[in-house]
Amino acid sequence: FSFFIMASVPSRRTGLPRAPHCGRCGGAWAKAPRPRARPRVRAEKGGAAKGKTLWCETTDEGTILEALKQGVDTFLFDVQSEYDRKEADKWLQACRKKLDAGAGDAGEVKALFREEDQIVDVQQSLPAAKFFHVSGPGDAAALSEHVAQSEGNETFIVAFGSGDPDEGAGSDVWKIIPAESLVALKGSATKVLAVASSSAEAQTMLSILEAGMDGVVLQTEQQQDVIEVAQALKATRREALSEASVTEIVYEGLGDRACVDLCENLKPGEGMLVGSFSRGLFLVHSECEESAYINSRPFRVNAGPVHSYVLMPNNRTAYLSELKAGDEVLVVDPQGGTRVCTLGRVKIEHRPLVKISAKLSSGDTIVCHLQNAETVKLLCGRTENSPGHGGTWEAVPVNELQIGSKVLVFEQHGARHTGIAVEEQITER
């Protein structure tokens, strides 16, 4: 995904940073400069997580350094003169060197510059984006017309609001409908980014009408805001699934199993990665399919007993016993595609269990325990990369599994400490 952080640079005469200015919005982004504040800079990183773009606005050097740690490689400065451009580039390189000196690796970085209401790559003499301010229905209608008539390969930055810095959070609600209209109107080659003042607002804009805005401009002085939005985008990455061959099916006793009920419905093929060993997790299907004995519950994954690991966003794991209402969990499809969903509740009840063992291609054996019920299913079949199978899959009830059945699993190496992957020797059996 891409990152941008907007910045002003010190005035040649005063040495104080100039406040950002937007001709189109009449200075809606402008903030009073603080003495000795660092330049305000916008940075971009190549690559994409499902095509999403993150732009950030800050005067805090620590936030800039955090953006570099997240992989930012291109920065845009809000400057006009050749002198200020040189000063901005010096500051950018100094931040990069500071990160490198601290055992980080910012890699190569480059600077983009702002000319009036456009962001320009000076080296290529090409505009990178246009800015619009929307404070009411008239502005929204005008912008919608611009977006609808876009010929593609254009980027629009949209600031919703009056430009009043004291505007309360309660005024955010009205932004949703015009934002939804923009998402519906734009073509696939046109990008629309919304200005957001918090991590929560940014994540709302990124999920509007499910597809969401193409990205956000995050206005913040807090490193944590940048981290949270960046990690939310990273959480939509594709996980590499593989096949394991079932070697043993044992119906053994009772246990406290956890049903994970989400705040939204899952699609056929989607589920969660769970297992008894952290090195190998099974893709457990949701209860979205109809049964002869019970109605479908497409919001539910019957994920197994409370000791089981479950893969979470940002490559973390948790025990099912730790999950609670309001947590964000990772949903995975048979091709390894992921998305983040909010947990509505966890139901823990005493139920009969089945132990399923499966052998990886490496010869290692992994295990999962699940409730012994026809509504509990594992994803079986071939992965997308398997020759000649086209990524076909089938959700098979645990009581219909057979020795030799091919189940989809997620393999990982090393150990886990408080859910975080660590490199150390560990034995699970």
Side-chain angles (χ1 to χ4, degrees):
F1 49 92
S2 303
F3 288 90
F4 273 74
I5 299 176
M6 184 175 174
S8 62
V9 302
S11 165
R12 184 174 186 176
R13 290 177 295 177
T14 66
L16 296 177
R18 297 191 183 101
H21 176 75
C22 174
R24 197 178 288 270
C25 72
W29 281 4
K31 297 180 181 179
R34 298 182 300 181
R36 302 185 184 277
R38 279 294 185 182
R40 195 178 282 262
V41 63
R42 190 180 290 144
E44 178 179 38
K45 180 194 172 192
K50 291 199 174 179
K52 300 296 184 181
T53 299
L54 172 61
W55 295 14
C56 303
E57 183 182 351
T58 186
T59 59
D60 178 61
E61 180 178 303
T63 304
I64 301 297
L65 291 171
E66 184 59 46
L68 287 168
K69 291 178 184 177
Q70 296 289 342
V72 175
D73 58 21
T74 304
F75 290 77
L76 175 68
F77 295 86
D78 185 17
V79 297
Q80 303 298 322
S81 73
E82 185 65 26
Y83 171 85
D84 284 345
R85 288 176 179 175
K86 291 181 179 179
E87 290 298 304
D89 189 60
K90 288 180 181 178
W91 178 82
L92 175 59
Q93 298 304 326
C95 285
R96 182 186 65 80
K97 291 178 180 178
K98 185 172 183 179
L99 181 65
D100 290 344
D105 183 11
E108 294 297 321
V109 294
K110 66 178 182 179
L112 300 179
F113 296 93
R114 179 174 180 143
E115 292 182 357
E116 297 180 353
D117 62 347
Q118 290 189 331
I119 297 166
V120 177
D121 185 331
V122 177
Q123 293 182 348
Q124 299 184 16
S125 300
L126 293 174
K130 298 178 181 178
F131 180 85
F132 287 83
H133 182 259
V134 175
S135 59
D139 294 333
L143 175 57
S144 295
E145 185 175 351
H146 277 281
V147 172
Q149 294 177 354
S150 173
E151 296 180 356
N153 297 320
E154 289 188 273
T155 299
F156 297 87
I157 307 170
V158 186
F160 296 97
S162 65
D164 181 358
D166 296 324
E167 190 177 54
S171 62
D172 290 346
V173 176
W174 74 271
K175 305 175 185 180
I176 302 299
I177 292 178
E180 289 177 341
S181 298
L182 292 173
V183 171
L185 278 171
K186 76 179 190 67
S188 59
T190 300
K191 290 188 175 182
V192 180
L193 282 67
V195 177
S197 59
S198 68
S199 170
E201 184 183 1
Q203 294 186 56
T204 296
M205 288 294 176
L206 289 167
S207 60
I208 283 175
L209 289 184
E210 293 192 14
M213 289 285 192
D214 295 291
V216 293
V217 178
L218 179 61
Q219 294 180 322
T220 184
E221 304 298 314
Q222 304 298 322
Q223 299 176 42
Q224 189 60 31
D225 281 339
V226 176
I227 293 171
E228 288 177 1
V229 178
Q231 289 184 344
L233 291 177
K234 289 177 182 177
T236 61
R237 68 183 186 177
R238 187 174 293 274
E239 302 290 2
L241 301 183
S242 59
E243 294 174 339
S245 181
V246 174
T247 57
E248 185 181 41
I249 303 169
V250 179
Y251 300 93
E252 51 177 23
L254 300 171
D256 293 331
R257 71 93 175 96
C259 281
V260 179
D261 292 352
L262 306 177
C263 292
E264 57 187 284
N265 290 331
L266 274 62
K267 304 169 186 175
E270 289 185 320
M272 298 175 67
L273 289 165
V274 299
S276 295
F277 302 160
S278 62
R279 65 179 183 271
L281 305 177
F282 294 67
L283 184 51
V284 181
H285 198 241
S286 75
E287 295 188 3
C288 64
E289 297 182 345
E290 293 290 342
S291 165
Y293 303 101
I294 193 170
N295 293 332
S296 68
R297 292 176 172 81
F299 55 83
R300 171 171 294 172
V301 177
N302 190 329
V306 290
H307 77 280
S308 302
Y309 286 109
V310 56
L311 190 64
M312 302 288 281
N314 307 314
N315 195 34
R316 298 176 68 97
T317 58
Y319 296 119
L320 288 176
S321 62
E322 297 174 329
L323 299 184
K324 62 184 182 302
D327 286 348
E328 290 186 329
V329 299
L330 194 68
V331 170
V332 185
D333 67 28
Q335 285 74 44
T338 66
R339 61 190 179 100
V340 177
C341 294
T342 301
L343 179 56
R345 66 172 165 263
V346 177
K347 284 180 56 180
I348 299 176
E349 298 165 307
H350 213 52
R351 293 292 185 268
L353 301 178
V354 56
K355 183 184 79 172
I356 300 163
S357 302
K359 182 177 290 187
L360 304 174
S361 58
S362 64
D364 191 15
T365 296
I366 58 175
V367 171
C368 76
H369 290 78
L370 295 168
Q371 180 182 344
N372 181 18
E374 67 164 11
T375 55
V376 182
K377 303 177 181 182
L378 288 178
L379 269 293
C380 296
R382 296 285 179 172
T383 60
E384 186 176 34
N385 296 324
S386 297
H389 289 83
T392 59
W393 58 268
E394 181 183 8
V396 178
V398 293
N399 57 5
E400 296 181 15
L401 285 173
Q402 299 179 3
I403 303 300
S405 293
K406 303 294 185 180
V407 294
L408 298 184
V409 298
F410 173 65
E411 300 179 51
Q412 48 191 352
H413 303 286
R416 292 277 167 171
H417 178 67
T418 63
I420 301 172
V422 295
E423 290 295 331
E424 69 174 4
Q425 185 65 35
I426 184 173
T427 299
E428 295 176 314
R429 61 189 182 198

